[in-house]
Amino acid sequence: MSKSAIGKGMLVLMLLLVSVFTAACGNNAKNGNTSNNNGKTVNQQEETPANTSKEKVTLKMAMWDSNNDFIDFLTDKVTEFNQVNPNVTVELESFKGDGDYLQAMKVRASADSLPDIYELKPNWLNDFKENLTPINDLAVTKQNQYAATYAIDGNIYALPSVSFPELVYYNKSIFEELNLEVPTTWPQFIEVLQAIKANDKYIPYAMGGKDAWPNYPFNEFLPHSISGDENYLSSTATEDEPFGEGTVFYQGYSQIADLYNADVMGPDPLGTSWDQATDLFVSKQAAVIASGLWFMPTYSSKVGNTDDLGAFPMPYRMTESETLKLMTFTDQFYGINSNTKHPEEAKAFMEWFYSPEVYQTYIDTAQLNSAFEGVEANVPWLQQFYESNPIEPFVYIPGDAEYTRISNAIQLDVKALGQDMMAGKKVSDIATELNGKWKKAKNG
């Protein structure tokens, strides 16, 4: 073979080797390995956005409720999201009391370990706004009747699930036995309770004072209601001394003192828990109890019906010449953790959770008023109440950021003040202490 022939053969062999090498490089790229402009090996799959639709995700959700049946319902309900989104599992964590729940969420917020979705009360929104994702863009946000009312600086951070009236419940058979009329003013309310006490057969009012929070219809709502201003709390933040004699707060707490000093809450109101108080009421050992509409399903589950359950608005007014208003509370707000690792899945869950079909089961089980347009609650007992009591609603609106700042600074706890009052503390002493702390925190 000549040198020329050998050279041509070598050239053909080199071309074949280059072709095979190039093909091999192509195959490597398809299998995920290639080189970037810096000559470093990178994973081709890492350059491709993750297919989140196939990623297995677990969303953590937290809530509280005193009704075990509702907790069981919601625990099962959220798992149904997995049927419409098989890659997402929702796990619910529940608490029995809002105090324990709030403390747990504050600890988790400080440790950046909040659940992906969690429940809030309206007066907690300012405290947690930094830990929440604005959800103005959700379709269900636009369907919520109250969301805009609770926006902070133009952003909606959580959606209220329900609204409901605050009521005074009574056993109709006891009122009939003692020939009592439903009171419509504060003095009449105390007189009715005193008449029950004088009969010496029933506890007039079932107060679960051991748990503190059951006094909220008085220590939290009474000054707010008699102010006539739904933004009363924010208005107090503009004053240096909003608690002294002559203020709405002082007038309201004086009314509350008249009730507590009437000794109409049984032998040991501060040693009685909420569960014990409700047992006293449903067993007809106590005549009256006060709470939101959310108590009605609990009563119904324990008694089996609502035949003997009556209700009337808490008569905060002093005279019948004043308008009788019905304190209305918006509650069960749900928001998304601002640091969730799964924001799209959390938003998809919210859209599903508040879709008409799913939300209808929620509101029917809660037995409360709907917060969404196009969905009506099936609560015949409540409908009958509204038909019998055409009363002007008064919507509870929490204090603004400044009110929250000052309240946090002085650790204002009106329910603890209620316990102090039941133990004998005077309104004048409470007002003096609060004014001193408030003025210092406001101007400090």
Side-chain angles (χ1 to χ4, degrees):
M1 184 180 293
S2 66
K3 289 183 179 179
S4 174
I6 293 173
K8 291 180 179 177
M10 290 294 292
L11 178 60
V12 170
L13 179 60
M14 289 179 67
L15 290 173
L16 286 171
L17 289 173
V18 168
S19 175
V20 169
F21 179 75
T22 302
C25 288
N27 287 336
N28 279 342
K30 289 178 182 177
N31 288 333
N33 294 322
T34 184
S35 298
N36 62 14
N37 292 337
N38 296 323
K40 294 181 180 178
T41 300
V42 296
N43 189 303
Q44 182 72 18
Q45 292 178 341
E46 291 179 355
E47 292 185 336
T48 302
N51 186 351
T52 56
S53 66
K54 294 183 179 180
E55 181 185 3
K56 295 295 183 183
V57 168
T58 298
L59 294 177
K60 302 288 187 180
M61 181 176 178
M63 56 81 75
W64 84 91
D65 203 289
S66 61
N67 186 335
N68 288 328
D69 291 340
F70 185 73
I71 291 174
D72 290 342
F73 157 77
L74 198 59
T75 301
D76 292 339
K77 194 66 184 179
V78 299
T79 63
E80 294 178 11
F81 185 61
N82 187 253
Q83 297 173 12
V84 297
N85 195 332
N87 300 306
V88 181
T89 300
V90 182
E91 295 180 352
L92 185 72
E93 180 184 13
S94 61
F95 292 71
K96 285 286 290 181
D98 62 351
D100 292 340
Y101 175 84
L102 176 59
Q103 184 61 32
M105 292 303 109
K106 285 185 174 179
V107 170
R108 295 182 193 185
S110 64
D112 192 20
S113 59
L114 282 166
D116 300 286
I117 300 165
Y118 54 103
E119 184 180 359
L120 294 160
K121 295 182 79 68
N123 47 332
W124 300 347
L125 292 174
N126 270 301
D127 282 334
F128 283 90
K129 67 179 181 181
E130 301 299 330
N131 307 101
L132 292 165
T133 299
I135 50 175
N136 303 31
D137 59 332
L138 295 186
V140 290
T141 299
K142 299 175 177 61
Q143 299 300 315
N144 194 285
Q145 301 177 63
Y146 304 100
T149 301
Y150 299 92
I152 301 174
D153 299 329
N155 283 320
I156 295 169
Y157 290 98
L159 295 182
S161 303
V162 297
S163 74
F164 54 84
E166 294 290 337
L167 301 170
V168 182
Y169 296 96
Y170 67 100
N171 282 305
K172 291 191 289 188
S173 58
I174 294 178
F175 270 48
E176 291 170 2
E177 176 186 341
L178 303 183
N179 196 28
L180 298 172
E181 297 288 334
V182 169
T184 62
T185 68
W186 191 255
Q188 291 175 11
F189 181 53
I190 295 177
E191 288 172 6
V192 165
L193 296 176
Q194 288 175 323
I196 298 170
K197 180 184 175 183
N199 179 264
D200 203 25
K201 184 176 179 180
Y202 306 103
I203 295 173
Y205 186 97
M207 168 60 82
K210 183 178 179 179
D211 290 329
W213 66 263
N215 67 46
Y216 77 88
F218 309 116
N219 288 81
E220 185 174 8
F221 286 167
L222 198 154
H224 200 152
S225 179
I226 66 172
S227 74
D229 178 8
E230 292 177 343
N231 291 297
Y232 158 74
L233 296 177
S234 297
S235 298
T236 63
T238 65
E239 302 177 29
D240 285 345
E241 296 181 337
F243 304 104
E245 194 168 356
T247 64
V248 167
F249 176 89
Y250 200 95
Q251 178 188 339
Y253 269 51
S254 296
Q255 287 185 216
I256 298 168
D258 290 340
L259 173 67
Y260 292 164
N261 293 338
D263 192 21
V264 291
M265 297 181 171
D268 187 16
L270 287 173
T272 304
S273 69
W274 170 252
D275 286 342
Q276 291 170 320
T278 56
D279 285 343
L280 290 171
F281 181 75
V282 300
S283 65
K284 295 183 173 53
Q285 296 178 68
V288 174
I289 198 169
S291 77
L293 180 65
W294 49 265
F295 171 67
M296 194 271 287
T298 300
Y299 175 93
S300 181
S301 67
K302 289 186 176 182
V303 177
N305 59 69
T306 56
D307 296 346
D308 197 34
L309 184 65
F312 56 88
M314 181 67 80
Y316 295 123
R317 64 180 183 175
M318 291 298 292
T319 69
E320 292 184 343
S321 63
E322 302 169 52
T323 302
L324 182 60
K325 297 181 179 179
L326 181 65
M327 178 62 83
T328 303
F329 201 72
T330 308
D331 205 0
Q332 300 180 17
F333 288 65
Y334 282 97
I336 299 173
N337 180 359
S338 58
N339 289 327
T340 178
K341 296 178 180 177
H342 312 293
E344 296 309 316
E345 287 81 1
K347 287 184 176 181
F349 172 78
M350 293 280 279
E351 297 280 17
W352 171 83
F353 189 58
Y354 289 120
S355 62
E357 183 176 282
V358 176
Y359 178 67
Q360 185 73 64
T361 63
Y362 180 100
I363 200 68
D364 288 348
T365 305
Q367 291 285 282
L368 300 171
N369 274 332
S370 170
F372 284 83
E373 296 176 356
V375 179
E376 298 294 332
N378 298 312
V379 191
W381 187 90
L382 179 62
Q383 293 168 353
Q384 293 176 5
F385 171 82
Y386 281 130
E387 290 172 3
S388 304
N389 297 272
I391 302 166
E392 181 179 337
F394 183 88
V395 178
Y396 174 90
I397 297 178
D400 59 12
E402 179 64 0
Y403 174 85
T404 302
R405 181 189 71 78
I406 301 173
S407 297
N408 288 342
I410 69 171
Q411 298 183 324
L412 178 60
D413 184 345
V414 294
K415 295 159 191 167
L417 291 178
Q419 290 180 311
D420 291 343
M421 292 174 69
M422 280 183 258
K425 192 166 186 176
K426 295 181 179 178
V427 176
S428 56
D429 293 338
I430 292 172
T432 300
E433 291 175 13
L434 288 181
N435 270 342
K437 293 178 181 179
W438 186 272
K439 186 175 182 178
K440 183 178 180 180
K442 179 176 181 294
N443 301 315

